[in-house]
């Protein structure tokens, strides 16, 4: 899931459409027990298979429960609706559901709820951004061909056996496949989604601990507790008002003023004094997030024989230690690979896999860039979204480091794009002409999730369009390995290809950070850096 940005909503000052008694508490919605939290409008509608960025993902975590859920403390994949997922060959799986689950509109959650949702998500004509998450299910190439129209409408590998049972046939062995099923793309959908899709999009219906009460784009999304939620992790508050901000400094100011209860991304400019401001109400913990600079490999100026030297040279020109120390105040750690320390050794993290390419060396950087033919056009433009206060400072610092290393004050300059939506649209349209800001928040705690979606040929989040046959081969072999240790080793071999080619520069691992008011308690972030909303209590 791509790391999104904060969006601005100027607190009660612009609450002309809201009731005067409660900032964020719309008509018919009680403020009692409701928590206000900073947020940003998602890029796409809140369909599970069409949301691959953080802001939308926060809502789906509240709105849905799937076969599995990732433990908010450990990240371990644990059964929720799944009673059991069985296999004897890591290729054919039988899924059995627990009894008693319903959607908030009263529909039962059945095997068909999952199979229909997955078929919808996979079908090319539905244009779902997470379609690639279904690629290992048999028949995917027919419903989602690389070119041309679909030759089938449903995945042949999915078969409903009865209300509580369905089978899944994969097109290759994938021993850890069940552990991916806590990701939002695999959530079930009610028949109401298919009967009146437009109405569902306007007011999504799920089976999680919260309901959508109302959504005013650019202003606030109101989530309310579902009193009849059948799970064992109900909401301990009355609801969450997700207020839209385009500047997380404004959100932080509102928090200090008592106009906001929760900020889940403390801006860099506030880090020097956040402990003084908030004391024990400041959260700073490791998260499964990495920040990178991705190259547009579809642009021949950045992808020609020898260009890998330029890309590696730019990486070596960045003084990560100094930037993370001075800009981020120990809320970032210099990256030495393309995953996250949160995975641990068993999950696939291995420090230093990037090798010398991630070690600051100004002289070597200058030499490599010269050997590779120089920076295209003589200047690197680092593109980023400007609708937050958290990116400009570090982008400027990165450019200053590159310029100093190369002895050229014009070698690098920041290239801001007004909003996150515009920034993402330019990326999707392949309009980038130089390296651009990219962040990855893990969808599930496996090394595979840090590598395949971003760097496998034509993968769903491969924004730079990197393609390497050896990398793809190693990923395929890793997925097919039935032994976890063998799989991890293969994935790490694939990482070594990234170190050679440098399609994206690893910058730093990101901690989750947040702050909250004295009005609420029991606040924590999960390993994905998302607040565990349902556990928060109003004092």
């Amino acid at each position: 899931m791509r790391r999104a940005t904060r969006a601005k909503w100027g607190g009660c000052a612009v609450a002309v459409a809201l009731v005067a008694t409660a900032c964020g508490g719309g008509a018919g919605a009680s403020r009692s027990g409701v928590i206000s939290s900073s947020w940003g409008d998602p890029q796409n509608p809140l369909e599970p298979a069409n949301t691959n960025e953080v802001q939308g993902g926060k809502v789906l975590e509240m709105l849905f429960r799937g076969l599995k859920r990732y433990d908010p403390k450990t990240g371990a994949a644990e059964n929720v609706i799944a009673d059991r997922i069985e296999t004897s060959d890591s290729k054919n799986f039988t899924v059995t559901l627990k009894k008693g689950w319903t959607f908030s509109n009263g529909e039962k959650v059945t095997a068909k709820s999952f199979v229909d949702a997955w078929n919808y998500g996979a079908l090319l004509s539905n244009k779902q951004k997470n379609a690639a998450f279904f690629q290992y299910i048999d028949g995917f190439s027919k419903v989602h061909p690389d070119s041309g129209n679909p030759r089938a409408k449903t995945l042949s590998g999915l078969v409903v056996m009865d209300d509580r049972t369905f089978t899944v046939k994969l097109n290759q062995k994938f021993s850890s496949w069940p552990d991916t099923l806590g990701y939002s793309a695999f959530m079930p959908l009610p028949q109401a989604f298919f009967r009146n899709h437009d109405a569902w999009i306007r007011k999504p219906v799920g089976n999680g601990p919260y309901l959508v009460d109302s959504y005013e784009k650019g202003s606030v999304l109101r989530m309310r507790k579902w009193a009849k939620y059948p799970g064992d992790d109900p909401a301990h508050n009355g609801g969450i008002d997700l207020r839209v901000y385009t500047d997380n400094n404004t959100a932080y100011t509102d928090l200090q003023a008592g106009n906001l209860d929760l900020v889940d991304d403390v801006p860099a400019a506030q880090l020097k004094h956040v402990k003084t401001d908030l004391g024990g109400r400041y959260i700073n913990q490791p998260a499964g997030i990495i920040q990178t600079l991705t190259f547009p490999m579809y642009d021949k100026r950045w992808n020609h024989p020898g260009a890998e030297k330029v890309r590696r040279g730019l990486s070596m020109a960045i003084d990560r230690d100094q930037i993370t120390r001075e800009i981020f105040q120990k809320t970032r750690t210099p990256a030495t690979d393309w995953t996250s320390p949160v995975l641990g050794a068993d999950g696939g993290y291995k420090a230093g896999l990037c090798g010398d390419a991630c070690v600051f060396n100004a002289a070597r950087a200058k030499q490599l860039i010269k050997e590779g033919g120089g920076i295209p056009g003589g200047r690197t433009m680092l593109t980023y979204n400007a609708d937050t206060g958290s990116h400009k400072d570090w982008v400027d610092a990165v450019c200053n480091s590159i310029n100093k290393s190369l002895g050229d004050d014009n070698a690098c300059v920041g290239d801001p794009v007004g909003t996150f939506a515009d920034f993402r649209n330019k990326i999707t349209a392949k309009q980038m002409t130089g390296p651009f800001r990219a962040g990855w928040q893990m969808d599930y705690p496996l090394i595979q999730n840090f590598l395949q979606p971003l760097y496998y040929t034509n993968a769903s989040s491969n924004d730079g369009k990197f393609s390497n046959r050896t990398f793809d081969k190693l990923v395929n072999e890793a997925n097919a390995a039935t032994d976890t240790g063998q799989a991890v080793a293969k994935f790490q071999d694939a990482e070594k290809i990234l170190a050679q080619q440098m399609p994206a520069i690893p910058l730093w691992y990101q901690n989750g950070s947040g702050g909250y008011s004295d009005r609420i308690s029991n606040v924590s972030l999960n390993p994905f850096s998302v607040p565990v909303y349902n556990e928060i209590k109003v004092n």
Side-chain angles (χ1 to χ4, degrees), residues 345-479:
D346 291 342
Y349 170 69
K350 185 177 181 180
L353 276 178
C354 183
D356 292 343
C358 287
V359 177
F360 178 58
N361 187 330
R364 180 62 176 154
K366 191 172 185 178
Q367 179 184 355
L368 278 173
I369 292 172
K370 182 178 180 180
E371 290 177 1
I375 295 173
R379 172 182 287 189
T380 302
M381 305 283 285
L382 300 189
T383 305
Y384 64 98
N385 55 293
D387 57 350
T388 172
S390 63
H391 298 312
K392 184 180 186 303
D393 290 347
W394 71 257
V395 169
D396 288 346
V398 166
C399 276
N400 288 339
S401 182
I402 291 173
N403 292 342
K404 185 176 180 180
S405 296
L406 303 185
D408 181 354
D409 290 341
N410 295 310
C412 180
V413 65
D415 177 32
V417 175
T419 68
F420 177 71
D422 289 341
F423 175 65
R424 286 299 314 160
N425 289 336
K426 285 174 68 70
I427 291 172
T428 302
K430 297 194 293 187
Q431 295 176 351
M432 293 299 175
T433 58
F436 53 92
R437 180 191 80 81
W440 187 253
Q441 178 192 51
M442 65 183 184
D443 304 308
Y444 42 85
L446 299 173
I447 183 175
Q448 181 262 0
N449 185 240
F450 282 91
L451 301 185
Q452 185 163 353
L454 282 78
Y455 307 112
Y456 193 92
T457 300
N458 295 324
S460 58
S461 296
N462 186 347
D463 290 335
K465 305 305 176 186
F466 173 70
S467 179
N468 182 279
R469 290 183 180 180
T470 304
F471 178 89
D472 293 351
K473 178 175 180 289
L474 288 167
V475 167
N476 289 338
E477 291 174 353
N479 282 329

Side-chain angles (χ1 to χ4, degrees), residues 66-68 81-87 91-98 109-119 134 137 155-170 177-178 181 186-188:
L67 295 173
K68 289 181 176 284
I81 298 178
D83 183 56
R84 56 190 183 274
I85 301 175
E86 301 168 302
T87 184
K91 188 174 182 179
N92 293 280
F93 296 82
T94 298
V95 181
T96 305
L97 308 183
K98 294 176 182 176
V109 178
T110 66
K112 182 176 169 63
S113 307
F114 285 96
V115 170
D116 287 354
W118 296 7
N119 280 325
F134 305 101
I137 300 176
L155 294 159
S156 58
L158 296 178
V159 178
V160 174
M161 306 301 290
D162 56 47
D163 274 0
R164 292 180 52 219
T165 313
F166 67 99
T167 60
V168 184
K169 181 181 180 181
L170 304 185
W177 178 77
L181 300 179
F186 297 104
M187 296 300 107

Side-chain angles (χ1 to χ4, degrees), residues 25-103:
S30 171
R31 183 72 176 89
S32 176
V34 175
I35 296 159
S36 58
S37 180
S38 59
W39 189 58
D41 283 315
Q43 182 185 13
N44 304 300
L46 295 170
E47 300 166 295
N50 202 32
T51 296
N52 68 342
E53 43 76 40
V54 170
Q55 304 303 338
K58 292 175 183 176
V59 180
L60 296 184
E61 165 64 17
M62 290 191 275
L63 186 62
F64 284 99
R65 287 295 180 263
L67 295 173
K68 289 181 176 284
R69 186 188 183 213
Y70 301 112
D71 185 278
K73 291 183 174 62
T74 68
E78 299 176 342
N79 285 352
V80 179
I81 298 178
D83 183 56
R84 56 190 183 274
I85 301 175
E86 301 168 302
T87 184
S88 59
D89 60 3
S90 298
K91 188 174 182 179
N92 293 280
F93 296 82
T94 298
V95 181
T96 305
L97 308 183
K98 294 176 182 176
K99 296 179 180 180
W101 279 86
T102 66
F103 293 98

